[in-house]
Amino acid sequence: IGHSVGAWSILQLLKNSDIRSKVHHCYLLFPTIERMNESPAGKVFTEKYKKATWYIKLFFIITWLPFLVRKWILNYYIQKWNLPDAYLDSALKFANARVLERILYMGKDQVENVYDLELDWIKQNKDILKFYYGQTDHWCPKSYYYELKEKAPEIDAEMDELGMAHAFNVRKGPEMAKLCAVWIKENRPNDTVE
């Protein structure tokens, strides 16, 4: 199962014949596999990246604040954005300049390098691929889904009808898990045990 740019990573891994021979099926959720820099979120990221040094400096300052002050600031934003309280521990671990710097570098690399839709490769592997696109996804807009279906109608690609967001794990992780479980059961090899 690959989510977002993880779907692109799966497509790259399948090029290794040893890996490909061991894979029965792949489920690509909100697949960020093409034109990242042209997507609405990619454009925003590119623009914000230009100001990234300010974010890094801000996080550097935050790391020097007393723990309780950092906790209060992060908790304020978690509440403001209506995120689950459980996110506070993760936010405290990752709210530092070095982590942010690496996240931004990785994002920049992905936005610059995930561009071409490898349609021929997808067609070659169509029997093991399942794509699941979101209605409101700013990393892989609905137009990418419709273009894929137009170019290759035989591809197993589905448009979300459950109101899932790209970051489904924030609020609808269990629902997505149930959906994936259904697909896995449907595509289970004949020689597996219940």
Side-chain angles (χ1 to χ4, degrees), residues 3-20:
H3 170 251
S4 192
V5 79
W8 180 83
S9 297
I10 285 176
L11 292 175
Q12 303 313 303
L13 287 168
L14 290 175
K15 293 176 181 176
N16 178 308
S17 59
D18 187 46
I19 292 172
R20 171 63 182 89

Side-chain angles (χ1 to χ4, degrees), residues 147-165:
E147 290 169 22
L148 176 66
K149 289 302 283 181
E150 185 178 308
K151 293 174 186 173
E154 71 278 14
I155 301 296
D156 184 5
E158 184 178 331
M159 180 60 70
D160 170 61
E161 295 178 5
L162 303 173
M164 301 268 190

Side-chain angles (χ1 to χ4, degrees), residues 13-181:
L13 287 168
L14 290 175
K15 293 176 181 176
N16 178 308
S17 59
D18 187 46
I19 292 172
R20 171 63 182 89
S21 69
K22 297 173 184 166
V23 174
H24 176 68
H25 219 86
C26 300
Y27 306 93
L28 310 178
L29 313 176
F30 303 87
T32 307
I33 57 174
E34 63 173 309
R35 297 177 284 171
M36 280 185 73
N37 64 342
E38 292 179 15
S39 69
K43 289 177 183 176
V44 169
F45 177 87
T46 301
E47 184 59 35
K48 299 256 186 213
Y49 187 83
K50 295 173 186 172
K51 302 170 187 167
T53 55
W54 287 106
Y55 296 119
I56 293 168
K57 288 176 185 175
L58 176 66
F59 271 73
F60 182 74
I61 292 167
I62 289 173
T63 58
W64 288 99
L65 293 173
F67 175 78
L68 289 176
V69 175
R70 280 184 301 177
K71 186 174 179 179
W72 182 85
I73 291 169
L74 293 171
N75 190 54
Y76 170 79
Y77 282 101
I78 285 172
Q79 299 303 314
K80 181 179 178 181
W81 295 330
N82 198 28
L83 297 172
D85 291 336
Y87 282 35
L88 182 58
D89 288 336
S90 296
L92 285 165
K93 289 177 190 170
F94 295 115
N96 75 61
R98 287 188 175 158
V99 171
L100 179 62
E101 195 173 40
R102 285 169 178 83
I103 290 169
L104 290 169
Y105 175 79
M106 184 178 72
K108 181 178 182 284
D109 181 65
Q110 292 169 352
V111 167
E112 290 175 349
N113 292 302
V114 178
Y115 189 78
D116 293 322
L117 177 66
E118 297 183 71
L119 190 59
D120 290 337
W121 184 244
I122 290 169
K123 285 180 178 180
Q124 286 177 35
N125 290 279
K126 69 177 190 233
D127 295 336
I128 65 163
L129 298 176
K130 165 80 174 176
F131 295 88
Y132 191 76
Y133 285 83
Q135 292 278 349
T136 59
D137 194 335
H138 298 293
W139 283 107
C140 48
K142 286 195 298 189
S143 60
Y144 291 11
Y145 163 79
Y146 292 119
E147 290 169 22
L148 176 66
K149 289 302 283 181
E150 185 178 308
K151 293 174 186 173
E154 71 278 14
I155 301 296
D156 184 5
E158 184 178 331
M159 180 60 70
D160 170 61
E161 295 178 5
L162 303 173
M164 301 268 190
H166 183 91
F168 63 84
N169 54 314
V170 174
R171 292 188 179 84
K172 293 199 174 188
E175 291 90 335
M176 181 57 78
K178 289 176 188 171
L179 188 57
C180 289

